[in-house]
Amino acid sequence: MATKNKTDNVMNQFFPIKTTRIFLPIVLSLISFLVYLNTLHHQFVFDDFRVITNNPYIKDWKYFPALFNRDYFKIFGELSYRPLVTLSYFIDYSIWHLNPFGFHLTNLLIHTGNALLVYFFTFRILHHLKLAAITALFFSVHPILTETVNSVGFREDLLCATFFLLALFFYVKLYTSKYKKCCFAASLLAYSFSLFSKEMAISLPLIIFFLDRLLLQSKSVAFHPHLNPPPSRGRNSGNLPIPAHRKESVHFSPAPCGRGLGGVNSEFALKTDLKTRILRYYSGYIVIGVGYMLHRLVFFKSTIEHVAYPGNSLTTNFLTMTKVIASYVKLWFLPVILNPDYHVTFETTGIKLPFLLSVALLICVVVITLRLCKKEKEITFSILWTFITLIPVMNVIPIGNIMAERYLYIPSLGFCLFLGILILRIPPHTLHLYRNIATTKLTTPLSPPLQGGDEGEVKNLAKKRIFNRVILYRFLAKFCFIGLFIFYFIFTIKQNRFWYDEQTLWSRTVSDTSCSFNAHNNLGKEYFQKGLVDKAIEEYTIALSKASEVQYKYPTAHYNLGVAYDEKSMYEAAIREYKNALHIDPKNSDTHNNLAIALFKNGKVDLAIEEFRTAITHDPDNPTYHDNLAKLYYRSNMPGEAKAEQELANRLKH
């Protein structure tokens, strides 16, 4: 019998460990893949046209060297230096050409890989299998991430998250690996790749600092969630963690062991204090971060990048971004009204209700974080992760779009971890009462006095009531998890359908009043391409009206409106809109070219010739402008000038 019990214990301890650790990543991968499976037949949308279909440079490897010099901005038309993302487009095009299936498949595979990295990273720092699985599942299916996965043009957020998580994973490996230098080098390399995917990765040193302070430092021996863990490959027996975790423990890190890193050797944390780690390891991340910022803002700054604060005011920026942060929190908890392009009105005073409500919400978050920072370090870390990783997109350095769902891809890990912790904390609250009821003495006098074993019966009755509460809370925890998971899964699949093509996306978007002027402009372009010119004019007009609400001068909408008026032979209106566009962006050669055509159609030949020459001045290598000017010279009986322009156009074409 003793042998049989011993065998059962071994099976209970080791069989679930091995099978679960293999089974969970497979299930997680399948779920992450299935929830976005319906994106594979989607077309290109949104920024995909600018960065892929209308970008001739990713279609020829001769432009590959431009990824590593200042020609990057001129050739690829990017505002930010993100060479790894552009490289991925090179690779995709060489395999799939302009088949959107391949580009969407790449996005889906990267997101699935990120979900797995979330699982392994969370398990590594907390050594709680159930929490890691719940966090990764929520991350893989949360609807707020649909924009990032569906739009190929936003792949930078996916790749940034990949290398961001790899950098953290290798840093955590420092606590256990015998090859600390290799892990440190791999972490620094991943951090560099993350920065050159997107600037949001600049927050990683702060995340590492709080990771060390809250979770990785162990004041006592480390623990393992399974009794008598088996030896793992690559470790000496002396490095094995001391088992100090019982099966019914309710904490992610048991109180007697501090809040240390589960399943790792705490000797490294004990011997290496924070100051030493700052000098030995943090300095590497800081040097890379500072070097990147100098590279990005000084040596490799885009010449076409010029973004100002909202209303050209720091105060307006602060008030507006406070409202934006509160909107992000609302979207995490209630991801039911999503929008690919938000219309954010500027806040100029601090006494309006939206701003006051936003401040109240953020104050609550700060107070809760401060109260929990000593006792509930896992929850504190999840909250800090969420808001620290948001800092780079809080418009401290002005960015073009002050609010977008894609900005929440990396911060969503913190929110999903927060949700997972809350769900798992429901049953332990009552389990603690149930375990302690047996040692509780009745101190309140009972009337009538108990006889014989009545006190024991009352205690049993109390235990039964507590037990019923335990069952109820366990059911509630499972219900919350399953309910949220099913809701996220179904709603994400539904949300994916809106990203099928341009018309589907923007028709759905403009039905929400929170959409921006860009949504109306993009829908107008779709109407125009389908021959619905009147509807296009209506959408362009709405776009200009909404742009004026946020004091934004919108040359693109004026240009598009001019094209629409030209199509309807309303040349005076077309000329007016082209001039409005040039008043905002006087160096736009396409606008000068179209204005010249409208002037010629309206009988103003001399002014048309002048506009063609201006277009050529701004873009002398464009054969279309020379060709148009040659045709106008022929019509104006100027054969010599026409011949010269035509020859130049022919040379440029070849």
Side-chain angles (χ1 to χ4, degrees):
M1 181 64 70
T3 304
K4 184 178 184 299
N5 290 337
K6 185 176 181 180
T7 303
D8 290 341
N9 289 335
V10 171
M11 290 295 292
N12 289 334
Q13 292 171 24
F14 298 126
F15 182 75
I17 298 173
K18 294 179 180 179
T19 56
T20 303
R21 291 186 183 181
I22 296 173
F23 180 70
L24 274 179
I26 294 174
V27 172
L28 178 61
S29 301
L30 288 174
I31 291 174
S32 181
F33 197 87
L34 285 173
V35 75
Y36 286 103
L37 186 63
N38 62 338
T39 67
L40 296 180
H41 71 288
H42 287 186
Q43 306 302 309
F44 289 120
V45 294
F46 213 169
D47 276 7
D48 299 354
F49 296 100
R50 179 180 61 84
V51 300
I52 299 170
T53 58
N54 299 332
N55 185 357
Y57 304 106
I58 66 166
K59 302 169 186 177
D60 194 334
W61 282 95
K62 73 178 183 181
Y63 296 106
F64 175 75
L67 290 176
F68 310 104
N69 57 53
R70 292 186 62 86
D71 290 338
Y72 176 86
F73 300 105
K74 179 180 179 181
I75 290 178
F76 300 107
E78 295 284 354
L79 293 177
S80 303
Y81 186 57
R82 298 166 182 173
L84 289 181
V85 183
T86 308
L87 175 60
S88 75
Y89 297 144
F90 268 103
I91 297 171
D92 268 354
Y93 181 81
S94 65
I95 299 172
W96 304 101
H97 296 287
L98 287 180
N99 183 357
F101 170 85
F103 289 84
H104 286 296
L105 178 62
T106 302
N107 270 28
L108 178 50
L109 292 175
I110 296 173
H111 176 66
T112 301
N114 288 342
L116 289 174
L117 284 173
V118 168
Y119 166 75
F120 288 119
F121 170 69
T122 307
F123 181 67
R124 190 76 188 174
I125 62 173
L126 297 174
H127 220 286
H128 194 286
L129 199 63
K130 191 179 294 185
L131 177 59
I134 291 175
T135 302
L137 282 172
F138 281 156
F139 181 84
S140 65
V141 301
H142 199 290
I144 202 68
L145 309 183
T146 52
E147 176 181 289
T148 311
V149 182
N150 276 273
S151 179
V152 180
F154 299 145
R155 185 178 293 172
E156 59 265 21
D157 294 277
L158 294 171
L159 287 175
C160 179
T162 301
F163 295 115
F164 193 91
L165 290 167
L166 283 173
L168 288 171
F169 184 82
F170 283 117
Y171 178 79
V172 175
K173 284 283 288 183
L174 286 170
Y175 281 78
T176 57
S177 177
K178 295 186 295 184
Y179 308 102
K180 289 181 172 54
K181 291 183 179 179
C182 292
C183 288
F184 183 53
S187 181
L188 291 179
L189 183 63
Y191 180 42
S192 301
F193 285 170
S194 186
L195 284 169
F196 285 111
S197 297
K198 191 171 183 179
E199 303 79 9
M200 283 192 72
I202 199 70
S203 60
L204 185 131
L206 264 179
I207 293 294
I208 288 178
F209 173 79
F210 285 108
L211 186 63
D212 268 331
R213 292 288 294 176
L214 297 174
L215 299 180
L216 300 187
Q217 291 190 82
S218 182
K219 298 178 181 179
S220 183
V221 292
F223 76 98
H224 194 284
H226 303 284
L227 297 174
N228 303 319
S232 57
R233 285 177 287 182
R235 299 185 190 176
N236 299 324
S237 58
N239 286 336
L240 290 177
I242 299 174
H245 186 276
R246 295 188 301 171
K247 190 173 181 180
E248 67 272 14
S249 177
V250 300
H251 298 289
F252 303 124
S253 301
C257 300
R259 298 283 176 172
L261 174 66
V264 301
N265 182 17
S266 61
E267 182 180 357
F268 178 72
L270 291 171
K271 291 184 177 180
T272 310
D273 59 17
L274 188 59
K275 291 183 180 179
T276 304
R277 286 198 297 282
I278 290 175
L279 294 175
R280 185 178 300 176
Y281 298 114
Y282 288 25
S283 57
Y285 299 100
I286 294 172
V287 167
I288 289 177
V290 172
Y292 172 79
M293 292 301 293
L294 289 173
H295 180 274
R296 169 73 175 79
L297 299 176
V298 180
F299 305 116
F300 241 65
K301 183 178 176 62
S302 171
T303 56
I304 60 176
E305 180 181 19
H306 178 70
V307 181
Y309 287 114
N312 292 316
S313 168
L314 285 173
T315 303
T316 301
N317 182 64
F318 171 76
L319 297 174
T320 303
M321 294 313 298
T322 301
K323 183 177 70 173
V324 168
I325 296 175
S327 298
Y328 284 149
V329 175
K330 182 189 73 173
L331 285 174
W332 270 315
F333 281 101
L334 296 171
V336 291
I337 302 178
L338 303 179
N339 200 315
D341 206 20
Y342 286 90
H343 180 65
V344 182
T345 55
F346 298 157
E347 294 293 331
T348 56
T349 176
I351 59 174
K352 289 186 177 180
L353 183 60
F355 175 76
L356 295 176
L357 291 176
S358 300
V359 170
L361 175 61
L362 295 179
I363 289 176
C364 289
V365 172
V366 171
V367 171
I368 291 171
T369 303
L370 292 176
R371 289 180 63 87
L372 295 177
C373 64
K374 291 185 178 181
K375 296 181 180 180
E376 302 289 347
K377 296 190 176 182
E378 297 89 357
I379 294 181
T380 303
F381 178 73
S382 68
I383 296 174
L384 288 173
W385 173 293
T386 301
F387 289 97
I388 287 173
T389 53
L390 267 180
I391 292 175
V393 290
M394 285 296 97
N395 219 35
V396 178
I397 297 175
I399 55 180
N401 196 347
I402 61 176
M403 181 178 179
E405 292 166 13
R406 57 186 176 275
Y407 298 159
L408 303 183
Y409 191 82
I410 294 177
S412 290
L413 188 155
F415 177 76
C416 294
L417 177 60
F418 176 78
L419 275 187
I421 293 172
L422 289 186
I423 289 174
L424 291 179
R425 285 288 169 89
I426 294 176
H429 174 71
T430 50
L431 280 172
H432 176 73
L433 295 175
Y434 183 74
R435 283 199 301 269
N436 291 338
I437 194 67
T439 59
T440 302
K441 294 183 178 181
L442 296 174
T443 57
T444 304
L446 298 175
S447 180
L450 293 175
Q451 300 295 327
D454 285 350
E455 183 174 352
E457 292 177 4
V458 171
K459 186 179 292 186
N460 288 335
L461 181 60
K463 289 174 65 177
K464 185 176 180 180
R465 289 176 178 173
I466 294 296
F467 180 77
N468 290 336
R469 289 174 61 186
V470 170
I471 298 299
L472 176 63
Y473 280 113
R474 280 183 172 176
F475 172 78
L476 180 61
K478 292 178 180 179
F479 177 80
C480 289
F481 167 67
I482 295 173
L484 273 177
F485 176 77
I486 293 175
F487 167 72
Y488 286 166
F489 190 91
I490 294 175
F491 194 81
T492 296
I493 293 175
K494 180 182 177 182
Q495 188 68 22
N496 290 339
R497 297 172 183 168
F498 298 134
W499 288 82
Y500 173 72
D501 61 13
E502 282 282 279
Q503 184 168 349
T504 305
L505 176 64
W506 299 119
S507 297
R508 166 65 174 79
T509 302
V510 297
S511 64
D512 178 17
T513 56
S514 67
C515 74
S516 75
F517 44 81
N518 285 322
H520 289 279
N521 177 71
N522 293 338
L523 182 59
K525 288 167 60 179
E526 284 300 304
Y527 283 145
F528 182 81
Q529 290 173 6
K530 295 181 183 301
L532 304 173
V533 182
D534 290 331
K535 284 191 174 183
I537 291 175
E538 181 182 350
E539 292 299 328
Y540 294 144
T541 305
I542 296 173
L544 289 170
S545 175
K546 290 203 116 182
S548 66
E549 292 178 9
V550 292
Q551 303 172 17
Y552 179 73
K553 297 178 180 179
Y554 200 10
T556 304
H558 284 294
Y559 173 87
N560 290 337
L561 190 54
V563 172
Y565 283 139
D566 195 324
E567 183 70 16
K568 290 181 68 69
S569 300
M570 299 170 62
Y571 301 125
E572 289 292 343
I575 292 169
R576 183 184 67 249
E577 292 303 326
Y578 287 138
K579 287 183 176 180
N580 287 337
L582 288 173
H583 181 72
I584 303 168
D585 185 10
K587 295 183 179 181
N588 190 299
S589 55
D590 283 339
T591 309
H592 283 288
N593 177 74
N594 282 20
L595 176 58
I597 295 173
L599 288 167
F600 171 75
K601 291 178 179 179
N602 206 33
K604 301 175 182 178
V605 179
D606 292 339
L607 292 177
I609 291 175
E610 183 181 342
E611 288 299 328
F612 276 134
R613 288 174 176 171
T614 306
I616 291 171
T617 301
H618 292 305
D619 188 2
D621 297 329
N622 192 317
T624 302
Y625 304 156
H626 292 282
D627 194 51
N628 287 342
L629 183 56
K631 292 176 181 177
L632 190 54
Y633 280 145
Y634 276 122
R635 288 175 177 267
S636 303
N637 197 24
M638 302 170 66
E641 291 85 347
K643 183 178 179 180
E645 289 296 331
Q646 191 62 60
E647 289 176 353
L648 183 55
N650 292 336
R651 285 199 302 270
L652 290 172
K653 289 177 182 178
H654 300 290

